[in-house]
Amino acid sequence: MTMTKLKIGVAVILTVFAANVFAQKVDVAKEFKYAAEQTDYMLDQIAHTDTGKNLVSPRTFENGKFKMVNSTDWTSGFFPGQLWFLYEETHDAKWEKYAKIYTAKIAKEQYNKGTHDLGFMIYCSFGNAYRLTKDENYKKVIIQAAKSLSTRFNVKAGVLRSWDHSEDRWKYPVIIDNMMNLELLFEATKLTGDSSFYKIAVTHANTTMINHFRPDYSSYHVVDYNIETGGIIKKTTAQGYSDESAWARGQAWGLYGYTMCYRETGDKRYLSQAQNIAKFIFSNPTLPKDLIPYWDYNDPAIPNTSRDVSAAAIMASALYELANYSKGNDYKEKANTILASLTNNFKNPLNSNGDFILLHSTGHRPAKSEIDVPINYADYYYLEALLRSKNGGKD
């Protein structure tokens, strides 16, 4: 055998070995045991944290400080959701007790008409609570939250308004993240029989599909609408590297959002959209072999810049579901790779860094906020992905 052939053979073996390492199945029970231990530490830390300012939910550990937020923060529902996932996996009444306590802390947000993030806030908490308990009180909160969210819909533009702030930058901004809040509306129609929620959700999804995506199926972060004409004022970013770049978490929101929309409607346009977003992500030359993306696919500093573990966790959860709807694909294998990468290389050591589960997420790099930190939504979607990995892609 020539030296060249030997080198090629070794390279192939190493590549296969690496792929097998990344794609190994994660021991879900073991990882939930770890998550339960870490969450126990976090609950103890919360008990010793001053919550006098109505701080109800842990968000991150940044600059050596454990940070909690009040119920109006868009991330307030993730920790209660995490507790419900722990209860779902372990059936331990302790986790149900804590899940109920922390879910109740954000109940008043069901009436909040000043945010588009009620899906994150209410559905991740009360949605999981109702799914697991069928308690009618949780159902009522979901319905009221959907009513509040619906008030942000503009018929002319065909979308739900995202932010009410920064009017000097945008007149009627809609962010790709908003796709995630549609699940609350779909659920409200199922719970009430009122199709108005469903119609708003599909109209928003359709409008976003037309206006937010480039020909390669990467998405803009922010699209600014003229509500008098329904036209587009501009397409920009807030959290990405540039207006024309592909912000990693934004691509993950789109992947998850359109997969969910296909589940709720059966509209194959949404399935095709999710598949095309996945194609963009996994054909991107800057995506590392472990499939944990850098914070923006177009940051010229790659590889000397931060990863975004939260984007990876969202992707993994979405892919487990998308695999059910797509024949002849490798979505489940890719999800397994991401999950193994997160578990083996990005997990937080026990009782450290604020007692979150995963490290190395990027929140808002342009604002120099939450860069390379643990963060609650990464933990939430990681646990959801773990559950879906053993439940055939279902919650």
Side-chain angles (χ1 to χ4, degrees), residues 279-339:
K279 183 178 180 180
F280 168 80
I281 291 171
F282 294 109
S283 63
N284 196 288
T286 68
L287 183 66
K289 290 182 179 179
D290 63 3
L291 305 187
I292 311 301
Y294 293 96
W295 74 284
D296 191 296
Y297 290 98
N298 298 105
D299 184 351
I302 291 173
N304 300 311
T305 190
S306 57
R307 302 278 197 108
D308 187 4
V309 156
S310 72
I314 297 159
M315 286 158 51
S317 187
L319 289 166
Y320 280 121
E321 181 173 8
L322 185 59
N324 290 330
Y325 311 139
S326 310
K327 295 181 179 179
N329 67 81
D330 61 351
Y331 297 142
K332 185 175 181 180
E333 288 73 18
K334 282 185 166 63
N336 287 340
T337 297
I338 295 171
L339 207 55

Side-chain angles (χ1 to χ4, degrees), residues 342-361:
L342 293 174
T343 300
N344 296 331
N345 301 313
F346 294 88
K347 201 164 64 179
N348 190 15
L350 271 175
N351 201 200
S352 65
N353 299 304
D355 305 311
F356 290 86
I357 298 171
L358 298 175
L359 297 172
H360 307 303
S361 289

